[in-house]
């Protein structure tokens, strides 16, 4: 199962809206087939593993990180394919919460006389499938918030200079993280001040993440790095009803997709944005700034993971804070986070945090 999980991790962020599943087939203590969900979600992991195993699948044990599908889609159900191949035993890490499956795949296997064991390394598999699970149960993507800050928690100087707080090794690692997400989201301030490309670089061929921008009045410049590659890497802009028709038309003409959202006391409703993203098949969302967006996400209780990169420099009190105003007056009101990982990159340090109420120790 550990091998199946490692296989599934290879295509995280490349299979939306499907989960990236890993599958291993073993017979007489020999691996005869392995597979993981292909880019864009097809073919499934089980299909590839069965094809590799061939006739050796008969009487074998299959290890799958997620319950095999039981519904007709673009391909036949994987549960039926396992039965047809003559699998003797199935070890499954986690149940598929999709209402079209949710136990039905297991029922198909058991009805065919296949021995089924569920729950092996379920915490690890569930963490990898968290985006898919979140889209099914909460109608929103799994949200990772990235903060690249100075030692004293600033993301830029008082005049907005932020390149580069972290070094090349840390930035390369960020591209690895981007690749594992379906979309990257920033606020309008980041687009205006940094003119980012928001793509994955220097990692070979991959499906580039969607680029999401929150811009209430569509005040971001049309001529930017985002529009240079908009045909190859889509740009989705979420705005309020205050955006002018002129600005809408300008962005539509260059090929952007526009989404009008509800507004709350803090601006564009983050919850409305997340529901719309989920409806579009986004299961894993990487949020990169800036401070206002970070505060909105934390205030909305929607952040599943925070990744901080601390560069070895100090900026001072006049610098721009990494997280905007949260209105916290008492420490009892402060959101608590659990440290789950630490890694160094020369003079930079990465820390990964998850909410204490959602923390899973693996």
């Amino acid at each position: 199962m550990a091998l199946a999980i490692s296989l599934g991790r290879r295509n995280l962020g490349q299979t939306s809206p499907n989960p990236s599943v890993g599958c291993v087939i073993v017979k007489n203590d020999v691996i005869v087939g392995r597979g993981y969900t292909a880019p864009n979600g097809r073919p499934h992991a089980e299909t590839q593993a069965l094809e590799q195993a061939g006739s050796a699948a008969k009487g074998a044990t299959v290890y799958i990180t997620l319950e095999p599908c039981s519904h007709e889609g673009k391909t036949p159900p994987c549960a039926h394919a396992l039965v047809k191949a003559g699998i003797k035993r199935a070890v499954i890490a986690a149940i598929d919460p999709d209402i079209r499956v949710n136990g039905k795949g297991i029922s198909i296997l058991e009805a065919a006389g296949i021995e089924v064991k569920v729950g092996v390394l379920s915490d690890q598999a569930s963490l990898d499938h968290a985006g898919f699970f979140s889209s099914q149960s909460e109608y929103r993507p799994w949200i990772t918030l990235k903060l690249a800050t100075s030692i004293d928690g600033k993301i830029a100087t008082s005049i907005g200079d932020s390149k580069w707080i972290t070094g090349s090794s840390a930035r390369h690692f960020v591209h690895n993280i981007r690749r594992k997400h379906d979309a990257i989201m920033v606020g309008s301030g980041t687009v205006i001040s940094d003119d980012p490309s928001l793509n994955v670089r220097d990692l070979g061929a991959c499906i580039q993440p969607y680029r999401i921008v929150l811009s209430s009045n569509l005040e971001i410049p049309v001529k930017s790095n985002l529009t240079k590659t908009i045909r190859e890497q889509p740009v989705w802009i979420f705005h309020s009803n205050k955006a002018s028709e002129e600005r809408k038309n300008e962005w539509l003409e260059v090929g952007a997709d526009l989404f009008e959202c509800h507004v709350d006391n803090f601006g564009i409703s983050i919850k409305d944005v997340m529901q719309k993203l989920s409806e579009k098949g986004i299961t894993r969302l990487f949020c990169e700034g800036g401070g206002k967006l970070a505060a909105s996400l934390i205030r909305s209780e929607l952040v599943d993971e925070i990744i901080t990169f601390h560069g070895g420099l100090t900026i001072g009190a006049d610098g721009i804070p990494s997280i905007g105003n949260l209105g916290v007056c008492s420490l009892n009101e402060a959101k608590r986070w659990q440290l789950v990982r630490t890694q160094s990159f020369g003079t930079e340090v990465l820390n990964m945090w998850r909410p204490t109420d959602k923390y899973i120790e693996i």
Side-chain angles (χ1 to χ4, degrees):
M1 184 61 76
L3 174 58
I5 289 173
S6 69
L7 289 172
R9 285 175 181 163
R10 294 184 182 184
N11 269 347
L12 282 176
Q14 302 291 294
T15 64
S16 172
N18 289 353
S20 185
V21 177
C23 178
V24 175
I25 300 175
V26 178
K27 187 174 184 180
N28 299 327
D29 297 326
V30 175
I31 294 173
V32 295
R34 67 181 77 191
Y36 49 96
T37 309
N40 293 312
R42 295 287 190 284
H44 287 181
E46 299 94 322
T47 301
Q48 297 181 76
L50 286 171
E51 182 178 353
Q52 190 178 100
S55 60
K58 186 173 183 179
T61 296
V62 61
Y63 298 84
I64 322 170
T65 62
L66 188 68
E67 178 184 6
C69 62
S70 57
H71 58 285
E72 291 284 349
K74 295 181 180 179
T75 56
C78 289
H80 289 164
L82 293 170
V83 171
K84 185 178 179 180
I87 290 293
K88 181 180 179 181
R89 181 169 177 260
V91 181
I92 300 168
I95 302 294
D96 187 337
D98 189 324
I99 58 174
R100 298 170 297 177
V101 187
N102 199 12
K104 298 183 181 71
I106 291 173
S107 296
I108 290 172
L109 299 181
E110 291 179 332
I114 296 174
E115 178 190 346
V116 178
K117 182 176 178 61
V118 180
V120 175
L121 298 185
S122 61
D123 283 351
Q124 292 184 37
S126 295
L127 192 56
D128 289 342
H129 296 316
F132 177 68
F133 290 172
S134 181
S135 68
Q136 295 294 317
S137 62
E138 299 181 50
Y139 307 104
R140 69 169 181 86
W142 167 274
I143 299 172
T144 299
L145 172 63
K146 186 216 82 176
L147 304 172
T149 78
S150 60
I151 292 173
D152 50 342
K154 308 300 181 183
I155 58 173
T157 66
S158 59
I159 61 171
D161 185 14
S162 61
K163 294 184 178 179
W164 296 98
I165 286 179
T166 55
S168 58
S169 295
R171 295 198 299 274
H172 182 75
F173 190 80
V174 168
H175 283 278
N176 275 285
I177 302 174
R178 284 180 175 181
R179 186 186 183 279
K180 295 179 180 179
H181 289 77
D182 307 331
I184 303 170
M185 185 168 76
V186 297
S188 59
T190 297
V191 175
I192 293 170
S193 62
D194 295 346
D195 190 19
S197 296
L198 302 180
N199 56 7
V200 176
R201 300 187 291 275
D202 303 323
L203 291 176
C206 70
I207 297 175
Q208 290 285 346
Y210 290 88
R211 295 174 291 184
I212 314 299
V213 181
L214 304 192
S215 181
S216 184
N217 298 321
L218 291 178
E219 67 271 30
I220 53 178
V222 174
K223 292 184 178 181
S224 65
N225 283 326
L226 292 179
T227 56
K228 288 179 181 178
T229 55
I230 199 168
R231 302 298 176 185
E232 296 78 35
Q233 189 182 2
V235 174
W236 294 354
I237 307 177
F238 291 76
H239 62 89
S240 72
N241 59 5
K242 295 182 180 179
S244 69
E245 291 300 318
E246 180 182 359
R247 294 296 289 170
K248 290 180 187 178
N249 289 333
E250 286 178 348
W251 275 103
L252 289 172
E253 285 176 5
V254 298
D257 290 295
L258 303 182
F259 301 84
E260 184 174 311
C261 296
H262 301 308
V263 175
D264 56 26
N265 294 333
F266 302 100
I268 293 175
S269 168
I270 294 296
K271 292 185 178 180
D272 190 27
V273 171
M274 295 308 154
Q275 183 172 341
K276 285 180 168 59
L277 287 176
S278 182
E279 290 170 354
K280 297 294 289 185
I282 302 301
T283 64
R284 295 173 59 84
L285 179 65
F286 191 47
C287 302
E288 294 206 42
K292 182 179 178 181
L293 174 60
S296 295
L297 289 166
I298 293 172
R299 204 165 37 231
S300 299
E301 296 281 325
L302 293 176
V303 178
D304 298 294
E305 184 175 77
I306 294 180
I307 296 177
T308 62
F309 290 88
H310 285 96
L313 74 166
T314 50
I315 293 178
D318 55 340
I320 299 174
S322 60
I323 300 174
N325 184 15
L326 292 175
V328 174
C329 296
S330 166
L331 288 182
N332 291 331
E333 302 171 354
K335 179 75 174 179
R336 297 286 178 173
W337 303 84
Q338 176 75 42
L339 180 64
V340 297
R341 178 182 175 186
T342 296
Q343 183 174 343
S344 62
F345 297 88
T347 59
E348 287 89 40
V349 176
L350 172 152
N351 289 316
M352 181 182 291
W353 306 81
R354 296 199 184 103
T356 53
D357 57 340
K358 296 182 180 179
Y359 176 63
I360 300 174
E361 185 171 357
I362 59 173

